C-alpha cells in the first residue's frame, strides 16, 4: 500500500481540536444527515500545530429561495441541496457570512482567525471535485495554514469517533493552480492519486472547566462503601443509583452486525467503478476523435501537396500548406483529475474495509470461542 | 446535576394585568427544559474566555419548543457582550439582534428561547435582562423566557439551574426590574451520536495535559473488551464469594444474573461453524475485492501516463493494447474500444510527427 506523502512537507504537522468543536460538528452533522453539513473553523496556529477552538455552520439556502434571488449566471448557483451545502465553503455569500460571524465572535474573545472548514460524510465518500475545490480555495487564500476536517457520520454511530484532517499536498496544489490535468502534465509532475491529500493527526483538548465538569457528571460517590442489595428484580431495573451514566463505557463497538456495512461499502464501490468507466470512456473517445482528426488532416495535406506539385508544373501560385490549422479543430483532452479522485476514493474505501476487517475478525473469533468452548481458533 | 431528582412545584406564574389587550395571553403551562451537551460546552468555553474584569458573562439561548410550549430543548447558544457595574447594566442589543439573524440563517429551526449567565446568583440585573428577553416583539413572548445559570466558580461544583419568570412588583416603576424566578426541572440529554465523541473527550480528563489522541477502531475495541472483562471479573468474584458463603446472597441479583446468562443462545456446533465461516468469508471477500479494485485502478492510472512516455513503436502499441485489453477483461466491449483507441492514438501521433517533418 502506497504511503502518504511525508507530513514534513506541509507547514502544519498536527491538529489540536477543542472538545467544544467536536461536539458542535457532531451535532450539526447528525441533524443535517443525510445532506452533508459544512461549516467554518476558527482558531489559531501555533508553530506547526493548528488549534481549532470554535466552529459555526454555513447557511445553505434552499433551492426555492435561491430561484427568487439568484440568477443562473452566477458561478456559484447550484441546483440541489447537496451541491449547495458542498459548495457553501467557497461561495461568496458564505464568505461574507463567515466574515461577519468572525467579527462578532471577536468581540467575545473567540479566536478570530479562520483556519479551515469541516464537512460531514457517510461511509467515507468525501473525495470529490467539490471537496478538492473547497480546500484549494482555502489554501490559496490569505492564510495558507488551513485544514479540512471530515466527520464520518455513519461510522461514528457504530462506536468510535471518526474525524480526520486533510490538506492538499504542495505538488497537487501546483498542478491544480494551472488546472491542467492532461496526460503530459501529469507525466511531468509524476502525480499519483495517493499524493493528493496529506492526513494530519488530531488531538482533542479540554479546558479546565470542562475537565472539572467531566469529573462531576457521574453522581457523587455514595455515602456507604457498598450499595445495599436490591430487594427484588423489579427494584434492580428501576434503581436510580444504577441509572445510565452518560460517561459509562460505550459498548456499541462490541456489536456484531456485518452485513449493512459490507452492503453499503460495495454499493459505494460500484458507484466509484461506474465513475471510473465513464471517465475511461471519455478518454478513449477523445483519443479516437483525435485519431480521426489526424487522419483527416493527413489526407488533406496530401491533397494539397499533390495540388502544389501540379501547380508548380503549370507555373501557378502555390497554395498555402498550413491552412489545415484553420480548417480542422483538434479536440481538447479531457481533464484527468476525476480519474485521480476516483482512484483516491477507492483507496479510501479499501482502507476502511481493511480496518473493519481487523475489528470484525477479532469479534467473530471471540464469539466463536465462546459458543464452542474448548476449541482453539 | 444528574444526582438526586429534585422535586419541582409548578406555579402557573402570576401575570401582570396586560397593559395592552392582546388576543393571546402569555402561556402559563409547566415547562421542562432539555439541555444539549453542545450548548453546555459552549457556555463553559465562554466562561473561560470572559474578560478579566467581569465576574459573569451572559449570552442567548437558542433551541426548539414543543407545540404547546411545555418542553423546551436548548441546542445552541452564543455569547453577548455586556458590562455590569454596581449601579447599572448594559447589554449590547444590536449585537444580540444581529447574531440572532446570522444564526437563524444557518439554522432556521432554532429560535430564541432564553438566556444564560455564568454565575448562580439572581439579582436585579438578572430581572432586567429577563424582562428584556421575555418581552413582546423581540423576546420570547408569549412563551416564558428560560433563564439558565451555570455556576462556574473554580473549586465548586458546576451547577446548572433553570428558571422561568413571572412579573412581580410593588409599583409600576419597579415592575420593570423585578422578577419572580420560578425554578423548572431540567435535564441534560446525551444523544447517541454525541456519545462516541463524549467518550473520547472524557478519556482526556484523567491526563495531565488534558488532551487525547484520536484512536483507531481497533484501539476502541480493545478498550471496550477490557472494560467488559473487568466487569465480568467483579461479578464472578462476587458469585464465588457467595458460593463460599463469604458474602450475603441476594435473590434479586441472582435472578438478574440468571436472566442475563440465559440469553446466550444454545445452538448446534455445526450451525455455528457454518454461520461463522459464511460471515468470515463475506468479510474477507469484500476486503479482497476492494483491494483488487484499488490495485486495478492504480494500474490503469499508471498505464495511462507511463505508456505515453515510450516513443511510437510496436512496443508502445503492444503495451497500450495490453492495457486496453486488461481493462477490457473487466468491462467487455468498452475495454476493447479503449484498446483500439489506444493503438489508433499511437499511429495518429506517429502520423502527426511525420506530417511535421514533411512540412519542414
Amino acid at each position: 500500500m502506497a504511503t502518504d506523502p511525508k507530513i514534513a512537507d506541509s507547514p502544519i504537522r498536527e491538529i489540536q481540536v477543542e472538545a467544544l468543536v467536536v461536539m458542535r460538528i457532531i451535532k450539526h452533522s447528525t441533524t443535517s444527515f443525510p445532506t452533508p453539513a459544512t461549516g467554518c473553523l476558527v482558531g489559531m496556529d501555533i508553530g506547526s500545530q493548528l488549534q481549532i477552538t470554535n466552529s459555526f455552520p454555513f447557511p445553505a439556502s434552499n433551492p426555492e429561495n435561491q430561484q427568487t434571488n439568484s440568477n443562473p449566471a452566477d458561478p456559484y448557483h447550484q441546483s440541489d441541496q447537496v451541491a449547495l451545502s458542498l459548495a457553501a465553503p467557497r461561495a461568496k455569500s458564505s464568505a461574507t457570512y463567515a466574515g461577519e460571524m468572525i467579527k462578532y465572535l471577536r468581540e467575545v474573545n473567540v479566536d478570530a482567525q479562520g483556519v479551515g472548514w469541516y464537512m460531514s460524510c457517510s461511509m467515507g465518500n468525501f473525495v470529490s471535485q467539490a471537496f478538492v475545490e473547497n480546500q484549494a480555495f482555502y489554501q490559496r487564500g490569505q492564510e495558507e495554514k488551513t485544514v479540512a476536517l471530515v466527520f464520518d457520520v455513519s461510522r461514528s454511530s457504530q462506536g468510535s469517533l471518526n474525524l480526520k484532517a486533510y490538506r492538499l499536498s504542495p505538488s497537487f496544489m501546483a498542478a491544480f493552480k494551472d488546472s491542467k490535468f492532461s496526460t503530459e502534465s501529469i507525466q511531468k509532475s509524476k502525480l499519483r492519486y495517493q499524493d493528493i491529500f496529506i492526513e494530519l493527526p488530531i488531538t482533542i483538548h479540554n479546558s479546565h472547566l470542562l475537565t472539572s465538569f467531566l469529573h462531576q457528571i457521574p453522581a457523587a460517590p455514595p455515602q456507604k462503601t457498598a450499595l445495599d442489595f436490591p430487594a427484588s428484580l423489579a427494584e434492580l431495573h428501576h434503581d436510580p443509583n444504577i441509572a445510565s451514566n452518560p460517561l459509562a463505557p460505550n459498548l456499541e463497538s462490541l456489536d456484531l452486525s456485518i452485513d449493512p456495512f459490507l452492503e453499503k461499502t460495495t454499493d459505494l464501490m460500484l458507484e466509484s467503478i461506474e465513475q471510473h468507466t465513464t471517465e475511461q470512456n471519455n478518454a478513449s473517445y477523445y483519443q479516437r476523435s483525435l485519431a480521426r482528426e489526424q487522419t483527416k488532416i493527413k489526407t488533406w495535406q496530401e491533397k494539397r501537396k499533390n495540388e502544389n506539385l501540379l501547380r508548380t508544373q503549370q507555373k501557378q501560385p502555390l497554395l498555402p500548406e498550413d491552412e489545415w490549422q484553420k480548417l480542422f479543430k483538434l479536440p481538447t483532452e479531457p481533464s484527468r483529475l476525476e480519474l485521480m479522485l476516483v482512484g483516491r476514493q477507492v483507496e479510501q474505501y479499501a482502507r476502511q474495509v481493511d480496518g473493519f476487517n481487523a475489528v470484525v475478525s477479532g469479534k467473530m473469533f471471540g464469539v466463536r470461542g465462546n459458543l464452542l468452548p474448548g476449541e482453539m481458533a | 446535576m444528574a444526582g438526586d431528582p429534585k422535586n419541582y412545584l409548578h406555579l402557573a406564574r402570576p401575570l401582570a394585568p396586560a397593559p395592552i389587550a392582546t388576543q393571546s395571553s402569555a402561556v402559563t403551562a409547566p415547562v421542562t427544559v432539555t439541555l444539549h451537551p453542545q450548548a453546555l460546552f459552549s457556555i463553559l468555553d465562554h466562561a473561560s474566555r470572559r474578560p478579566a474584569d467581569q465576574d459573569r458573562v451572559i449570552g442567548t439561548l437558542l433551541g426548539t419548543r414543543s407545540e404547546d410550549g411545555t418542553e423546551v430543548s436548548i441546542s445552541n447558544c452564543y455569547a453577548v457582550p455586556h458590562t455590569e457595574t454596581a449601579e447599572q447594566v448594559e447589554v449590547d442589543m444590536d449585537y444580540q439582534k444581529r447574531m440572532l439573524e446570522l444564526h437563524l440563517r444557518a439554522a432556521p429551526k432554532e429560535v430564541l428561547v432564553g438566556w444564560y449567565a455564568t454565575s448562580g446568583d439572581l439579582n436585579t440585573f438578572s430581572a432586567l435582562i429577563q424582562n428584556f428577553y421575555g418581552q413582546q416583539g423581540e423576546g420570547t413572548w408569549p412563551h416564558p423566557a428560560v433563564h439558565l445559570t451555570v455556576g462556574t466558580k473554580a473549586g465548586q461544583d458546576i451547577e446548572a439551574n433553570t428558571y422561568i419568570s413571572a412579573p412581580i412588583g410593588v409599583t409600576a416603576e419597579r415592575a420593570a426590574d423585578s422578577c419572580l424566578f420560578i425554578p423548572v426541572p431540567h435535564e441534560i440529554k446525551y444523544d447517541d451520536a454525541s456519545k462516541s465523541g463524549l467518550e473520547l473527550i472524557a478519556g482526556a480528563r484523567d491526563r495531565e495535559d488534558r488532551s487525547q489522541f484520536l484512536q483507531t477502531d481497533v484501539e476502541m475495541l480493545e478498550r471496550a473488551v477490557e472494560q467488559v472483562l473487568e466487569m465480568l471479573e467483579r461479578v464472578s468474584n462476587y458469585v464465588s464469594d457467595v458460593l463460599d458463603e463469604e458474602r450475603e446472597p441476594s435473590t434479586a441479583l441472582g435472578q438478574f444474573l440468571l436472566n442475563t446468562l440465559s440469553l446466550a443462545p444454545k445452538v448446534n456446533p455445526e450451525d455455528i461453524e457454518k454461520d461463522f465461516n459464511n460471515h468470515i468469508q463475506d468479510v474477507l471477500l469484500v476486503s479482497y475485492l476492494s483491494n483488487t479494485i484499488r490495485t486495478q485502478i492504480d494500474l490503469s492510472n499508471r498505464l495511462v501516463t507511463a505508456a505515453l512516455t515510450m516513443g511510437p513503436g510496436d512496443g508502445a502499441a503492444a503495451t497500450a493494447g495490453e492495457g486496453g485489453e486488461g481493462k477490457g477483461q473487466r468491462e467487455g466491449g468498452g475495454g476493447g474500444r479503449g484498446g483500439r483507441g489506444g493503438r489508433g492514438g499511437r499511429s495518429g501521433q506517429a502520423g502527426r510527427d511525420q506530417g511535421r517533418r514533411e512540412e519542414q
Side-chain angles (χ1 to χ4, degrees), chain B residues 21 36 47 56 84 91 96 165 229 233 263 273 289 293 306 334:
Chain B
H36 272 254
R56 68 169 178 170
E84 201 174 299
V91 175
Q96 128 83 355
S165 72
L229 280 178
E233 199 174 312
L263 287 175
E273 278 286 335
L289 273 179
I293 295 173

Side-chain angles (χ1 to χ4, degrees), chain A residues 96-321:
Chain A
T96 39
Y97 178 87
E100 225 184 319
M101 267 301 233
I102 292 184
K103 195 173 66 146
Y104 279 108
L105 285 175
R106 188 187 307 168
E107 286 188 31
V108 281
N109 295 338
V110 176
D111 296 332
Q113 179 188 353
V115 292
W117 62 291
Y118 68 86
M119 77 173 262
S120 68
C121 72
S122 169
M123 304 290 285
N125 65 345
F126 63 88
V127 182
S128 65
Q129 194 98 4
F131 181 81
V132 167
E133 280 182 29
N134 283 338
Q135 181 59 13
F137 174 73
Y138 272 86
Q139 273 186 234
R140 260 200 302 249
Q142 280 180 335
E143 296 123 8
E144 206 254 327
K145 297 190 177 181
T146 49
V147 73
L149 280 186
V150 178
F151 173 72
D152 194 329
V153 178
S154 20
R155 304 217 61 216
S156 299
S157 61
Q158 284 167 1
S160 58
L161 181 69
N162 201 312
L163 187 68
K164 301 236 161 61
Y166 293 103
R167 273 177 64 83
L168 296 175
S169 67
S171 47
F172 183 77
M173 281 297 290
F176 193 76
K177 218 182 302 213
D178 311 327
S179 63
K180 250 177 74 66
F181 285 97
S182 63
T183 34
E184 295 100 41
S185 56
I186 294 189
Q187 274 168 247
K188 263 188 282 190
S189 58
K190 295 213 186 325
L191 197 62
R192 310 165 306 153
Y193 68 77
Q194 289 94 330
D195 299 336
I196 304 181
F197 296 130
I198 307 180
E199 188 177 331
L200 300 164
I202 302 184
T203 4
I204 296 190
H205 179 260
N206 296 342
S207 65
H208 283 292
L209 261 181
L210 192 58
T211 315
S212 56
F213 174 68
L214 288 171
H215 278 286
Q216 191 197 314
I217 292 186
Q223 265 67 21
K224 310 179 270 227
T225 48
L227 297 169
D228 284 335
F229 288 125
S232 72
L233 195 56
E235 200 184 297
L236 198 103
H237 283 295
H238 297 294
D239 192 350
N241 278 334
I242 318 180
S244 53
N245 180 358
L247 293 188
N250 186 6
L251 298 175
E252 270 178 40
S253 53
L254 293 178
D255 197 17
L256 201 63
S257 72
I258 317 178
D259 294 335
F261 178 89
L262 292 180
E263 279 172 20
K264 270 189 247 164
T265 314
T266 38
D267 278 341
L268 290 169
M269 276 288 221
L270 280 173
E271 273 180 35
S272 294
I273 295 173
E274 274 173 46
Q275 275 180 332
H276 181 81
T277 31
T278 327
E279 293 297 317
Q280 284 290 106
N281 284 343
N282 283 348
S284 48
Y285 177 77
Y286 158 75
Q287 280 183 330
R288 264 177 295 142
S289 43
L290 183 70
R292 271 202 303 261
E293 289 295 315
Q294 302 284 15
T295 41
K296 273 198 273 185
I297 290 173
K298 247 181 55 122
T299 43
W300 184 92
Q301 278 181 333
E302 298 285 317
K303 263 189 0 193
R304 267 298 157 92
K305 286 207 182 8
N306 293 339
E307 271 191 47
N308 280 344
L309 281 174
L310 286 174
R311 289 198 176 203
T312 41
Q313 283 169 8
Q314 296 169 4
K315 305 279 191 254
Q316 278 181 349
L318 298 176
L319 294 169
E321 291 196 0

Side-chain angles (χ1 to χ4, degrees), chain B residues 32 40 51 124 159 218 220 243 250 253 277 288 305 307 315 348:
Chain B
T32 47
L40 192 57
T124 27
E159 204 182 299
V218 186
M220 301 289 285
L243 288 177
S250 156
L253 276 183
N277 285 333
Y288 171 70
T305 52

Side-chain angles (χ1 to χ4, degrees), chain B residues 248-271:
Chain B
E248 241 178 67
S250 156
T251 42
L253 276 183
Q255 249 180 314
F256 185 74
L257 287 174
L258 254 178
N259 288 350
T260 319
L261 286 175
S262 66
L263 287 175
K266 171 128 184 66
V267 204
N268 245 334
E270 294 96 38
D271 288 342

